[in-house]
């Protein structure tokens, strides 16, 4: 109400389409280039390059899940494009992520609904410094398994298509370029979502390092690789504004954001999470939902 000009930012980011296409082509080129390398170099490039592209692509898929590529009027175009963006990750992810991520926005911290909240087992077991370190390494596995434990949903036709498209792509990569290309693809996805500087955003976004503050923003340089996902307070306030425009939201409504707690380093977030004995997977706001709950 105070800044009506923000409404002008609620439109698709068509540049996202070309960025995603270039990222897919970059990974296809990398699959070809690593096929004859020694294994030590395959592992090296999977972590140094592949992991960055893979994690960045998951955040492109996050943008696409909000219909940022083609707009709300062409929702299915976004779903098909998400399946395309998913291909170089190696594992089907896009369609299921969209379904659960919308719940995360509607019911942030909702017990039994928001699968971004760790399970009771995670909070109970990963409570020491060493175990929290292992939890960070295994984050991609917990994000994959947690929805099945907390809020399993019936499989949809689009999820089956996502799975089949991914299987065909993976088989084609193996047939033409061999096991090293497949390893590079899958290892990059797992490493990029685990012990990796970019993965600090998983913890930075909603873990309560300060009591009473459940969402935090990060305004550092890694936003350049992550479609400004660090502007997380801004994103939750305006989920229909593409990441490209979130810095403008902060600039326009600076009085609402400048004084909120914020991070300068995702690497430090990971370090503090492990070393601070008062922080654990339990350090999340969980709320009991009242009234009607509508899920995707």
């Amino acid at each position: 109400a105070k800044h009506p000009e923000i409404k002008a930012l609620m439109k698709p980011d068509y540049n996202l389409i070309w960025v995603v296409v270039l990222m897919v082509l970059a990974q296809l080129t990398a699959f070809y280039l690593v096929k004859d390398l020694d294994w030590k170099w395959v592992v090296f490039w999977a972590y140094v390059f592949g992991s960055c592209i893979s994690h960045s692509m998951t955040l492109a898929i996050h943008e696409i899940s909000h219909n940022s590529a083609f707009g709300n009027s062409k929702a299915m175009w976004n779903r098909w494009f998400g399946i395309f963006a998913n291909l170089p990750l190696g594992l089907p992810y896009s369609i299921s992520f969209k379904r659960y991520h919308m719940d995360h926005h509607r019911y942030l911290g909702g017990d039994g609904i928001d699968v971004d909240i760790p399970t009771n087992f995670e909070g109970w077991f990963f409570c020491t410094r060493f175990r929290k370190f292992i939890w960070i390494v295994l984050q991609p596995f917990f994000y994959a398994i947690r929805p099945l434990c907390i809020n399993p949903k019936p499989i949809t036709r689009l999820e089956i298509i996502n799975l089949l498209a991914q299987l065909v792509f993976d088989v084609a990569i193996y047939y033409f370029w061999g096991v090293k290309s497949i390893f590079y693809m899958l290892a990059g996805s797992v490493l990029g979502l685990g012990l990796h500087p970019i993965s600090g955003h998983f913890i930075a976004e909603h873990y309560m390092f300060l009591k009473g503050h459940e969402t935090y923003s990060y305004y550092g340089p890694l936003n350049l690789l992550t479609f400004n996902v660090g502007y997380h307070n801004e994103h939750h306030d305006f989920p229909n504004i593409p990441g490209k425009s979130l810095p403008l939201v902060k600039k326009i409504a600076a009085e609402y954001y400048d004084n909120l707690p914020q991070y300068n380093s995702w690497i430090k977030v990971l370090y503090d999470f492990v070393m601070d004995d008062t922080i654990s997977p339990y350090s999340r706001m969980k709320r009991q939902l009242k009234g009607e709950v509508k899920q995707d």
Side-chain angles (χ1 to χ4, degrees):
K2 186 175 179 181
H3 297 286
E5 62 270 33
I6 284 178
K7 292 182 181 179
L9 304 177
M10 299 176 183
K11 59 184 179 181
D13 174 17
Y14 295 117
N15 288 331
L16 175 63
I17 299 169
W18 306 113
V19 172
V20 167
V21 169
L22 288 174
M23 290 169 69
V24 171
L25 292 176
Q27 280 293 69
L28 285 173
T29 302
F31 296 160
Y32 174 78
L33 293 175
V34 303
K35 67 185 181 66
D36 296 320
L37 294 181
D38 289 339
W39 275 107
K40 63 182 179 181
W41 289 113
V42 176
V43 174
F44 174 82
W45 287 114
Y47 187 78
V48 171
F49 182 76
S51 62
C52 296
I53 295 290
S54 292
H55 199 133
S56 184
M57 188 63 87
T58 67
L59 294 167
I61 290 172
H62 167 254
E63 288 284 291
I64 296 166
S65 76
H66 286 281
N67 294 335
S68 292
F70 295 97
N72 292 322
S73 64
K74 297 180 178 178
M76 280 304 300
W77 288 36
N78 290 280
R79 301 293 78 74
W80 294 118
F81 192 56
I83 292 173
F84 168 75
N86 195 151
L87 293 177
L89 295 178
L91 299 169
Y93 161 83
S94 176
I95 299 300
S96 297
F97 172 79
K98 192 268 181 185
R99 299 178 72 197
Y100 284 104
H101 188 64
M102 294 305 102
D103 294 340
H104 170 67
H105 275 275
R106 292 190 189 112
Y107 309 110
L108 180 63
D111 191 16
I113 303 295
D114 182 2
V115 298
D116 196 57
I117 299 287
T119 61
N120 287 330
F121 169 78
E122 290 171 75
W124 168 76
F125 185 78
F126 296 100
C127 55
T128 67
R129 293 180 179 181
F130 176 74
R131 291 179 184 179
K132 286 191 289 183
F133 175 80
I134 297 300
W135 184 78
I136 289 174
V137 173
L138 297 178
Q139 271 194 107
F141 298 101
F142 287 112
Y143 270 92
I145 295 171
R146 195 183 295 146
L148 304 177
C149 300
I150 295 179
N151 186 19
K153 296 184 178 187
I155 297 175
T156 66
R157 180 177 65 91
L158 276 178
E159 285 176 306
I160 294 173
I161 293 172
N162 193 176
L163 172 62
L164 293 177
Q166 193 65 59
L167 285 174
V168 170
F169 179 83
D170 292 354
V171 169
I173 294 297
Y174 177 76
Y175 178 81
F176 288 108
W177 294 331
V179 68
K180 290 181 180 178
S181 296
I182 287 289
F183 176 86
Y184 168 88
M185 175 169 57
L186 296 175
S189 296
V190 172
L191 294 171
L193 296 170
L195 187 63
H196 194 280
I198 298 177
S199 292
H201 82 86
F202 287 130
I203 294 171
E205 289 165 359
H206 297 295
Y207 284 78
M208 290 198 296
F209 283 79
L210 295 176
K211 305 305 179 186
H213 294 274
E214 64 174 308
T215 303
Y216 301 80
S217 288
Y218 156 82
Y219 300 121
L222 288 178
N223 279 301
L224 296 173
L225 299 176
T226 58
F227 301 91
N228 287 329
V229 75
Y231 288 75
H232 217 67
N233 276 298
E234 294 84 348
H235 172 60
H236 272 269
D237 286 346
F238 301 101
N240 55 344
I241 293 180
K244 172 187 174 183
S245 299
L246 292 178
L248 290 175
V249 172
K250 182 179 184 296
K251 183 178 180 180
I252 291 169
E255 69 272 26
Y256 291 100
Y257 298 111
D258 283 353
N259 294 322
L260 292 177
Q262 57 188 254
Y263 296 112
N264 296 314
S265 168
W266 279 338
I267 296 176
K268 188 175 186 302
V269 168
L270 293 173
Y271 177 83
D272 289 346
F273 178 81
V274 171
M275 300 305 293
D276 188 337
D277 295 332
T278 67
I279 302 295
S280 76
Y282 270 141
S283 302
R284 292 289 297 262
M285 178 73 76
K286 182 186 284 192
R287 49 177 59 85
Q288 298 296 322
L289 300 175
K290 299 179 180 179
E292 186 179 6
V293 175
K294 294 182 180 180
Q295 301 183 61
D296 269 25

